[in-house]
Amino acid sequence: MRRRSKREPNLSESTGKIGHELPSNQPKPLIPSYSDAPPMQRPAQPGPARIESNADPAQFAKSHTQRPQVLASNYDGEEQGAGRFEMETQPDLPSTPPEENVATSPTKDPKGFVVLTIGLPGSGKTTWFKRRGVQPLSSDMLRTILFDDITEQRYQGLVFSTLRSLLRARLIARMPWNYVDATNLSAHERRQWIKMAKSFGYEVQAVFFDVPLDVCLDRNRRRDRPVGDEVMQKMAERLKPPAFDEGFSKITVVRVKNTN
């Protein structure tokens, strides 16, 4: 009975197995070692949610006819669970650095943080990230990578499924801070991000850009890639402020400076 010869390495691209056979003289790969200690800790802060504001609280409670009404009572920890609520005012100059980092340590010891932005196009999300020197995961970034065209809108499902896969990879790698730059208009759109983050033991925070529609429309018209006014109006109708009962541990509301 003839003895079978040793199989040669498979070098066919069609099988997708190129590189699976390692040369015998290649050293063993390095295996990363992750510490079980959390990336950051702080003493627990028991008690209901507290409001930290850099602006006049009366301005926050003031209604606006062209944006969802947001009241401090909406973030009462006794009603919707313990959490932190903060107010932030957009500066006159985009280059002005923030007074403090918006993402602060939690009451527990999570593996890290996932921060979701919520707001209309033109509300200031991109500028907010630039002021902090943060490169977020964004749909615009993926459209450029996947299609060489930031304006490509035909493959929304593919774009956002890939975006979720990238976040999942960062959570597996135990990256402590993870930012997702998207409109995230409704609780339904935010649910998958929150569920994924919590399944990995991460805390989820929201940055809500509570900017009047007319301000967003004016900024949007001056952009290189403006969104149609009709589309902006429909998006404004879908926009719902974040709530602690969605799973957020901290909510920061960013508003434009009051010029009156």
Side-chain angles (χ1 to χ4, degrees), residues 79-134:
E79 296 179 1
Q80 301 189 20
R84 286 169 52 84
F85 170 72
E86 289 187 359
M87 280 279 297
E88 182 178 322
T89 302
Q90 293 182 356
D92 294 329
L93 298 177
S95 59
T96 303
E99 295 182 0
E100 62 176 340
N101 193 333
V102 67
T104 58
S105 299
T107 56
K108 298 181 180 180
D109 296 330
K111 294 180 179 178
F113 308 88
V114 173
V115 181
L116 303 181
T117 58
I118 301 165
L120 297 172
S123 59
K125 299 187 298 297
T126 301
T127 301
W128 189 87
F129 283 117
K130 286 182 178 179
R131 289 173 55 217
R132 286 157 176 78
V134 172

Side-chain angles (χ1 to χ4, degrees), residues 2 33 42-43 54 80 97 100 200-202 204 208 218 235 252:
R2 183 163 40 173
S33 176
R42 74 165 188 177
N54 295 328
Q80 301 189 20
E100 62 176 340
F200 281 88
Y202 277 66
V204 190
F208 175 46
D218 181 64
M235 294 178 72
T252 298

Side-chain angles (χ1 to χ4, degrees), residues 145-163:
I145 294 174
L146 296 175
F147 316 119
D148 299 326
D149 184 1
I150 198 172
T151 64
E152 177 60 70
Q153 298 290 327
R154 291 179 297 171
Y155 305 99
Q156 293 290 81
L158 176 60
V159 168
F160 282 94
S161 64
T162 305
L163 198 61

Side-chain angles (χ1 to χ4, degrees), residues 82-85 106 113 198 203-206 244 247-251:
R84 286 169 52 84
F85 170 72
F113 308 88
K198 288 186 174 295
E203 182 175 304
V204 190
Q205 302 178 0
F244 288 123
F248 294 113
S249 61
K250 177 181 176 182
I251 296 174

Side-chain angles (χ1 to χ4, degrees), residues 141-198:
M141 173 193 71
L142 278 181
R143 290 186 184 96
T144 302
I145 294 174
L146 296 175
F147 316 119
D148 299 326
D149 184 1
I150 198 172
T151 64
E152 177 60 70
Q153 298 290 327
R154 291 179 297 171
Y155 305 99
Q156 293 290 81
L158 176 60
V159 168
F160 282 94
S161 64
T162 305
L163 198 61
R164 287 190 291 271
S165 296
L166 286 177
L167 176 61
R168 181 182 178 87
R170 288 183 60 88
L171 301 184
I172 291 174
R174 300 190 182 184
M175 300 304 292
W177 292 100
N178 304 274
Y179 298 85
V180 180
D181 182 8
T183 55
N184 292 315
L185 300 177
S186 66
H188 175 74
E189 295 173 21
R190 303 187 284 259
R191 187 176 303 136
Q192 288 186 324
W193 300 110
I194 297 171
K195 182 178 179 181
M196 180 191 298
K198 288 186 174 295

